[in-house]
Amino acid sequence: MNLNFSLCSSTSSELSDSILRRSPVGSRFFSRELVRFDETWKKKCFSNNIPRCGGGGTKKVLASSTHIAPGHLEDSSIAAAAKKTLPRRGLGFVRTLLIDNYDSYTFNIYQALSTINGVPPVVIRNDEWTWEEAYRYLYEDAAFDNIVISPGPGSPMSPADIGICLRLLLECRDIPILGVCLGHQALGYVHGAHVVHAPEPVHGRLSGIEHDGNILFSDIPSGRNSDFKVVRYHSLIIDKESLPKELVPIAWTIYDDTGSFSEKKFSTPVNTSLSPSRNGSVVSPYVDGKQDRHILMGIMHSTFPHYGLQFHPESIATTYGSQIFKNFKDVTVDYWSRYKSPSSRRRMINETANMQVPSACQLLKELSRTRSTGNGSSYYSNPSSSLSAVKKNGVDVIGLVDLAYPKPHTQLLRLKWKKLERLVNKVGGAKNIFMELYGSNRGNDAFWLDTSSSDKDRGRFSFMGGKGGSLWKQLTFSLSDQSEITSKHAGHLLIEDAHGSTKKRFLEEGFLDFLRKELSSISYDEKDFKGLPFDFCGGYVGCIGYDIKVECGMPINRHKSKAPDACFFFADNVVAIDHQLDDVYVLSLHEEDTEETSFLNDTEEKLITMSVSSARKWKDQNLPAIESSQRKASFVPDKSREQYIKDVERCMQYIKDGESYELCLTTQNRWRIGNTDPLGLYLHLRERNPAPYAAFLNFSNADLSLCCSSPERFLQLDRNGMLEAKPIKGTIARGSTPEEDELLKFELKLSEKNQAENLMIVDLLRNDLGRVCEPGSVHVPNLMDVETYTTVHTMVSTIRGLKKTDISPVECVRAAFPGGSMTGAPKLRSVEILDSLENCSRGLYSGSIGYFSYNGTFDLNIVIRTVVIHEDEATIGAGGAIVALSNPGDEFEEMILKTRAPASAVMEFCSGFQ
């Protein structure tokens, strides 16, 4: 069967030359020439020029070799033996080489294998090692016992998508290998099977699995009526009719056997009895009068210890996923324990585990040293470079280790604070406090991290502050134009101090690197904030724009933001409000050798002496709603409905062709509002659309204000080292009556499309946290909860994990930024596609607002439902996740829904002054 489809509907000419030229990652999709495997490349890659591990240079010799099945010299087929339950043995450490195909779920596999194997895998991207390097570590140094090939975007037919994986599958016939999704397809393809479009793309949906009792499924039930349900993320499949005799099917499903996470039962199964064909593939010509609908979900090689799974065992919603990885460990241990060849002296896992583990750990340290010396991005490292060459700022579990963290402290800051009990309601609430302290100047150079939601369980504390302390300063950072940079994340930083003096710096390494160094240069005494019920005690407060993604391993920015890419205050004086207990805290930071400021006493006096009349002063600040007929202008979207729907359709084509599982397409809505009052606008917005991660920020020297009513947390790190993300995926409008409202809430909860969106992002965030968290610590305490806000219901999940001690707070942000709910998965490929579809920079939209406390904690939101005011223009970004189940027209309406609350607030407020 010939493969006659393209990997997407767009040609390479539709992307900018800069994207296509910059790297294998950028240039590998959308070219028809990459659809079929390049036979010339294949012959060259698999030539006999390189020492081979089993001898023989042709596929025929590889397939017929019998000496490469240890323990089965009398029988060249492993298939029969593999169906039997292998003897249980005392398991030692198993060292895995995990090949990352630029996927966003690889580190979920990493987390699982770290706890199951007893030692973390070594993670290598598919273009990071040459074959010579791989051969050295696999055979000369014997650093690994097995190989796992990750999922990934694209197709095994594209060399840039699959990298070294095909060669590993052919050459390493005597090393156990497990391929997941793309790795599974690669196992089929490299032995001659055809990879074709699935009957329909299936992403973030569950299916029942039937298997043949293979050892890989030991202790796992089989059948559609069993509780063995797996999550699928794929658009391509192996054509079962094209399976060569070397490959044996071991698991399958039926193509329409898909359901949502909330479904407790699947449909009544049709007859699934199967009979093997001549080559061992599944043959069932008709099911209930229809053509065979079985889809391969698992294969194994008949003589190599190689396995493939089309589904994702690492997903949070897959049952028995950990058992599958444990079974693969058992396969590996049993394989090497029965190996009779003298060359296996380093493979006796049970007997020599203590000798073997250090070799893998030494490799880990070697990789860490070589990668940490650079400052670029190893996403674009030269595939032919040697391991000793400099690796550039790899955003992975090794590259994120901050070898210099913590750094020698140069500045000791001391904290003084006072608690004013039961004061908030006495003075009329948080709004009155902010207006009393910072409202006289219309909120210039002030911040308010405002938990304005009436539900105190969602957000207990608010923080506010302004210019005044001796340590105060403002940072304004803008990425350089592409024409003037030497690295893609260099930029210009303007620093203004408390005295109004300014200085400029050029940051070659980018803003996040600067922020990391700033924070790590501060030392503190924990006893200073002992007794405080919150983590923010002063430090950097501000916003990070979406384009800072280039400092986080993402591609170059195709568009330049008009607004700054990051703005922060260093806040030395802070007022904190406990909404639950009604208390106010006043905090002040100062250097150890300097005298305390008067901020504590002055602020306490202002708050206590606020009279009832002054408390009422701001009560009626908000304007009444203005009828639509009275409005003189409105926001104009950058894209028409027709164009947005067309872009949604293009996203769905990319998804169909395997380039992405989910794409968060966005656009900007604009309005020239002239000289307005940002603080007054924010007060109006918080009244109309309160939210737990709301914020008001005003940076006067950047002519920038943000009025944010975000319901979504991006990432938080508390003083106990616990990281938390709370992604939102799935939104529906509130009903006009209580009955309709409950019905809509129930509709959202059971929506298969929205559950698929949410599940994909939960798995992505588990991956991002898994890069920086202790093995086994990443967990999901709340999955797909529906939360209700003033104008919408949303589906929210919570992911947590314990941060590794050698990872700095800023590097945790780097590992996960931008938030996966604003990109899609796999993140890197999805961002590339989105950059090609969106016609302007997202700016601060899709970025984060929050704080980095001087004591090493942080809390950041996702910038959504936000009005960004810069140089007299108000912009509101909005979008939605596009998945295989999307309806283009509905996606446009969802985008409009998300702009409604902030846009209405702006139009109401501004119309009142016209």
Side-chain angles (χ1 to χ4, degrees), residues 32-222:
R32 289 183 178 272
E33 286 71 22
L34 295 182
V35 176
R36 292 186 176 85
F37 192 81
D38 188 330
E39 293 299 326
T40 303
W41 179 89
K42 185 174 180 180
K43 292 177 182 178
K44 181 179 179 181
C45 180
F46 301 146
S47 68
N48 289 319
N49 295 333
I50 305 299
R52 305 174 72 90
C53 48
T58 67
K59 181 176 177 181
K60 181 177 180 179
V61 173
L62 292 176
S64 62
S65 297
T66 59
H67 67 277
I68 48 78
H72 296 282
L73 298 182
E74 72 284 0
D75 184 357
S76 64
S77 175
I78 298 177
K83 293 182 180 180
K84 302 175 182 178
T85 301
L86 296 179
R88 298 287 181 179
R89 303 172 183 269
L91 300 185
F93 296 99
V94 172
R95 304 156 306 156
T96 296
L97 175 62
L98 177 53
I99 308 297
D100 176 21
N101 287 305
Y102 290 86
D103 196 53
S104 288
Y105 300 150
T106 300
F107 280 88
N108 294 332
I109 299 176
Y110 170 90
Q111 282 277 320
L113 294 179
S114 294
T115 56
I116 291 169
N117 288 352
V119 63
V122 172
V123 184
I124 296 297
R125 295 189 182 91
N126 65 20
D127 57 359
E128 195 162 352
W129 279 1
T130 63
W131 168 244
E132 290 85 351
E133 290 168 336
Y135 182 89
R136 169 191 162 189
Y137 292 114
L138 288 165
Y139 289 98
E140 295 177 6
D141 294 346
F144 303 101
D145 303 306
N146 64 25
I147 300 170
V148 174
I149 299 176
S150 85
S155 159
M157 285 81 74
S158 168
D161 288 340
I162 200 64
I164 199 174
C165 297
L166 297 183
R167 184 146 197 185
L168 291 173
L169 287 164
L170 277 182
E171 303 279 2
C172 302
R173 67 200 72 163
D174 59 347
I175 296 177
I177 299 179
L178 174 65
V180 178
C181 200
L182 182 64
H184 158 88
Q185 295 167 11
L187 175 59
Y189 174 72
V190 80
H191 292 291
H194 297 292
V195 177
V196 297
H197 276 122
E200 64 171 338
V202 180
H203 296 111
R205 298 159 70 191
L206 280 71
S207 293
I209 295 294
E210 185 172 353
H211 60 77
D212 66 350
N214 185 277
I215 184 60
L216 199 62
F217 300 107
S218 179
D219 298 324
I220 299 175
S222 174

Side-chain angles (χ1 to χ4, degrees), residues 251-263:
W252 48 89
T253 190
I254 293 178
Y255 85 81
D256 57 356
D257 179 20
T258 57
S260 65
F261 174 76
S262 65
E263 291 184 53

Side-chain angles (χ1 to χ4, degrees), residues 621 623 676-677 680-681 684 904-913:
Q621 173 74 28
L623 298 173
T676 191
D677 174 17
L681 169 58
H684 187 62
S904 296
V906 175
M907 289 186 287
E908 290 168 2
F909 182 80
C910 293
S911 296
F913 289 97

Side-chain angles (χ1 to χ4, degrees), residues 68 159 163 175 424 459 597 643 695 732 781 806:
I68 48 78
I175 296 177
V424 180
T597 67
Q643 183 60 50
I732 196 169
D806 56 356

Side-chain angles (χ1 to χ4, degrees), residues 125 132 144 149 158 223 251 324 338 350 358 381 397 400 441 527 544 549 706 774 834 872 892:
R125 295 189 182 91
E132 290 85 351
F144 303 101
I149 299 176
S158 168
I324 290 175
R338 292 189 286 159
N350 292 317
S381 57
V397 73
L400 285 172
N441 195 28
K527 68 182 181 183
I544 303 171
K549 69 182 189 292
L706 289 89
E774 294 291 346
L834 292 168
D872 298 334
F892 177 80

Side-chain angles (χ1 to χ4, degrees), residues 473-477 493-495 511 514 540 566-569:
K473 58 185 172 183
Q474 179 182 329
L475 310 177
T476 305
F477 176 76
L493 178 68
L494 177 68
I495 304 174
F511 180 77
F514 170 84
Y540 286 99
C567 278
F568 277 84
F569 301 117

